[in-house]
Amino acid sequence: MAGVHLKRDKMVSAGIDIGTSTTKVIISRFSLMNTAGSTDIPRIEIVGKEILYKSPIFRTPLKDALTIDVSSVEKFIRSQYEEAGVHPSDIETGAVIITGEAATKRNASEIVHHLSGEAGDFLVATAGSDLEGIIAAKGSGAYDHSVKTGRVTANVDIGGGTANIAVFKREELLGTCTLHIGGRLIEFCDGLVTSISPPVQRLIEQEGWTLTIGDPIHHRDIDKVTKFMAESIARFIACEPVLKDNVLLLGHHPNWGTRIEDVIFSGGISECMYKKESSKPTDILYCDVGVKLAAALLENSTLTKWNRIEPKETVRATVIGAGTHTTEISGATNQVASEVLPLKNLPVYKFSFKDGFKSGLSIFGESVKEAIDMYDSFQEGQNFVFYLADLPYMSFKNIRILAKEIIKMSDLRHDSEQPIVIVLQTDHAKVLGQTLHAMNARQSIVCIDQINVEHGDYIDIGHTRQSEVVPVVIKTLTFHSS
């Protein structure tokens, strides 16, 4: 590879998935390398991903039906770090994800914020059903399959509480959809039904069935429920849901608008379908409808109209996606005050110059005030990221004008001593950051480029690497409600 710097930089990533039924951890190592020619602007990319450790699969510990047991989760994670031979300070990127119905627990937000500080020096917290589906598709192999074949591929990740569908065509995400379908929506103990989730209870009432708590596990309505779930999944994949399917819909309807060619199932239910895990004993016992749901999916004739591909990973798809697919690498033309890194959970305010530099500059001050009101309305000093999008060609004169306006408006923040954090799509970060520094901005400057984010996203920015790039994780902290 002539003209390419071959020296590699390495970093360690952790993925932690706390799901409705199970919790698991994965430790990975990334290799970074400059893939640009020696005469070009450096472009550092992740060129290798190696999985170092996969934890056993443990039952998610709960204090009660509404509360995750934080101390037990933390104890489990630390024990797995010890098994993997890593210390929390070794972890530089990754994700903690609360998935499925676990995201509806009353302390879900609390636990991810707690773990993002306790489980590693740079470990992020993410949740949100759309993101879960995307990450699972990358962990299961569905994304890679679509990239390699060019075929429109749906990944259907079914766990204990939800089914997350994500559709890709090559690298492009075409759409997502989430359903109240999962193995633990009906649970058993001693041969009797002990719990029925609210969505399934609504389904039972809608269909006029009689299943109730206390009924035997062989009650005929249980098969009706799992058969309906399989049929409903088929209709949603085809973008042809009927009115009665809405009882199981969580969020928006299917939005991919194109015919799906291949389907991959992942998650705990797909483990019941394909049995890819080793036979090592765990504390997971099937005391729910997971096995029956898996059988209904295998037997459903409508699902055979699509080419069904076996997943590379089943129950581990989400945690592998979290540990290996959540990190992006900035450009190498940054201006970063390394002493203020890492920065965590910074909300993004997007400001577009799509109407031209002069027009954008005229409303820039109003937008800064809006961002302050939006993200720091209680005047607690919450910092935020200014994402400058659609920048036109910038003369040095315009760079200086923009820098001067940024400094002036940054002083309006309730804690004006906080770093000025700027993210750009284009390669302006170095010159803008250096200009801010030369103009004696009293705040520290973090100005990075070649990152695409959206208004309302949250980001974490990690330590500067030896290649002068920084790892960035773009995330959503939206927790769905039941």
Side-chain angles (χ1 to χ4, degrees), residues 75-129:
K75 182 179 179 181
F76 164 67
I77 291 169
R78 290 193 177 276
S79 72
Q80 295 311 297
Y81 279 15
E82 290 178 9
E83 287 289 328
V86 300
H87 188 271
S89 62
D90 298 328
I91 307 299
E92 299 171 272
T93 187
V96 181
I97 309 183
I98 309 289
T99 55
E101 292 210 326
T104 69
K105 304 304 181 187
R106 62 162 63 105
N107 63 338
S109 179
E110 169 200 338
I111 193 171
V112 291
H113 284 289
H114 176 75
L115 289 176
S116 70
E118 295 294 322
D121 184 41
F122 176 53
L123 191 62
V124 309
T126 67
S129 54

Side-chain angles (χ1 to χ4, degrees), residues 267-326:
I269 299 304
S270 106
E271 176 56 29
C272 296
M273 296 166 69
Y274 296 110
K275 297 180 173 58
K276 286 182 171 288
E277 284 288 307
S278 68
S279 58
K280 290 189 299 183
T282 72
D283 67 344
I284 302 302
L285 299 174
Y286 291 113
C287 52
D288 52 40
V289 294
V291 173
K292 286 181 176 290
L293 177 55
L297 291 166
L298 288 170
E299 294 166 3
N300 184 274
S301 59
T302 306
L303 288 171
T304 62
K305 65 189 278 190
W306 294 286
N307 184 36
R308 188 180 295 177
I309 308 295
E310 284 199 17
K312 290 182 179 179
E313 296 287 344
T314 54
V315 68
R316 298 178 188 271
T318 308
V319 72
I320 287 178
T324 60
H325 291 281
T326 54

Side-chain angles (χ1 to χ4, degrees), residues 432-445:
L432 179 58
Q434 288 179 339
T435 303
L436 288 165
H437 185 74
M439 296 177 75
N440 296 316
R442 59 193 177 87
Q443 301 94 342
S444 300
I445 307 298

Side-chain angles (χ1 to χ4, degrees), residues 2 17 59 129 236 250 259 379 435 450:
D17 178 12
R59 181 179 293 278
S129 54
F236 276 105
L250 173 57
R259 188 177 67 85
Q379 302 183 20
T435 303
Q450 295 182 25

